[in-house]
Amino acid sequence: MSGPGSRWGEGILTPAVAAAVVFVVLAGGVAMAFVGARGGLELPVAATGSPGIALASTSPTLAPTTPAPATSAPATLPPSVAPSLVTSPEPSAPGPTASPAATVLPSLGPTPGPSSPADPLTALPACPDHPGCYEYTVRIGDSFTAVNDRFGLLLWITDALNPEVADKGVIVVGQTLYLGRDPEARLDPCPDGAPCRLYVTRSGDTLSRIAARFGITVTGIEALNPALDPNAFGPGTLVRLPRYLG
């Protein structure tokens, strides 16, 4: 069968098809010329600046690509970690020297008592062979009472140590006074080691006067002198006296 249909199948163009092809080519050329005259083809994305793209450029999803400053690191810590860094710091283990015992105990110990002031009598010459007895030389302006007050002595004890001074209101410059805190300090000890002192009686002595002078008792004197007749001894009698205990 020979006809137009069969010739199309054999690759022969009909005038209509050829005209359509030419039209398409011409239309394409015109379109390209038109676009070239307008400055080229402008894509909608680049020309319009779509808000969607602008928002995409500022979208929070882009933030992770920008490294955060070093100072903002604590703000990104989880809530369970941040409080522990502020309110619960790990205590450092105390060293050997941090223990209170190491610094306090060495300073503890027996507290020394107040040191006793030196006895002013020790600045005076000592009486030979009589411990506790001191010699004082009277100076201008001295009185018996003033000397006692100066050294903090008891007047009756100074009186017992100075039987030679009959009138305590009369002392002279250069005179020696015997001072001490024991009224028997000028007496010799008993030779047999007994706890007593030897006293040589003076005119006017009685056992009661002797006892009052040395701060002892008559009973104590009689106990140490059983052979002594209290009514028959005179000056120069050797009498044993019990020790003054203060």
Side-chain angles (χ1 to χ4, degrees):
M1 181 176 181
S2 60
S6 59
R7 296 182 64 89
W8 175 262
E10 297 175 358
I12 300 175
L13 297 177
T14 64
V17 173
V21 171
V22 172
F23 176 78
V24 171
V25 171
L26 291 177
V30 173
M32 294 295 293
F34 176 79
V35 171
R38 295 294 300 270
L41 182 62
E42 294 181 1
L43 295 176
V45 173
T48 60
S50 175
I53 296 176
L55 292 177
S57 63
T58 58
S59 173
T61 58
L62 299 179
T65 61
T66 303
T71 56
S72 61
T76 62
L77 292 177
S80 61
V81 176
S84 64
L85 296 178
V86 178
T87 60
S88 303
E90 182 180 358
S92 58
T97 59
S99 175
T103 57
V104 176
L105 290 181
S107 64
L108 297 178
T111 303
S115 57
S116 301
D119 190 340
L121 290 177
T122 58
L124 301 176
C127 302
D129 302 325
H130 291 87
C133 173
Y134 302 90
E135 297 179 349
Y136 174 76
T137 302
V138 177
R139 300 178 297 182
I140 296 176
D142 279 343
S143 67
F144 200 80
T145 302
V147 172
N148 278 270
D149 293 343
R150 185 181 307 158
F151 292 97
L153 304 174
L154 297 176
L155 187 60
W156 72 270
I157 292 181
T158 306
D159 190 7
L161 291 174
N162 296 273
E164 301 89 351
V165 183
D167 187 355
K168 302 304 186 290
V170 180
I171 57 176
V172 297
V173 176
Q175 179 180 354
T176 298
L177 294 179
Y178 299 97
L179 308 179
R181 305 185 187 282
D182 181 355
E184 299 178 354
R186 288 187 65 190
L187 302 180
D188 294 330
C190 295
D192 53 2
C196 60
R197 299 274 178 87
L198 297 177
Y199 172 71
V200 179
T201 60
R202 304 170 64 87
S203 178
D205 279 343
T206 63
L207 292 184
S208 59
R209 288 181 179 179
I210 295 172
R213 181 182 304 157
F214 293 101
I216 55 180
T217 64
V218 172
T219 303
I221 297 175
E222 292 176 340
L224 292 175
N225 300 274
L228 178 65
D229 185 351
N231 299 317
F233 68 89
T237 303
L238 193 62
V239 179
R240 292 188 175 206
L241 303 181
R243 296 291 302 271
Y244 169 72
L245 300 179

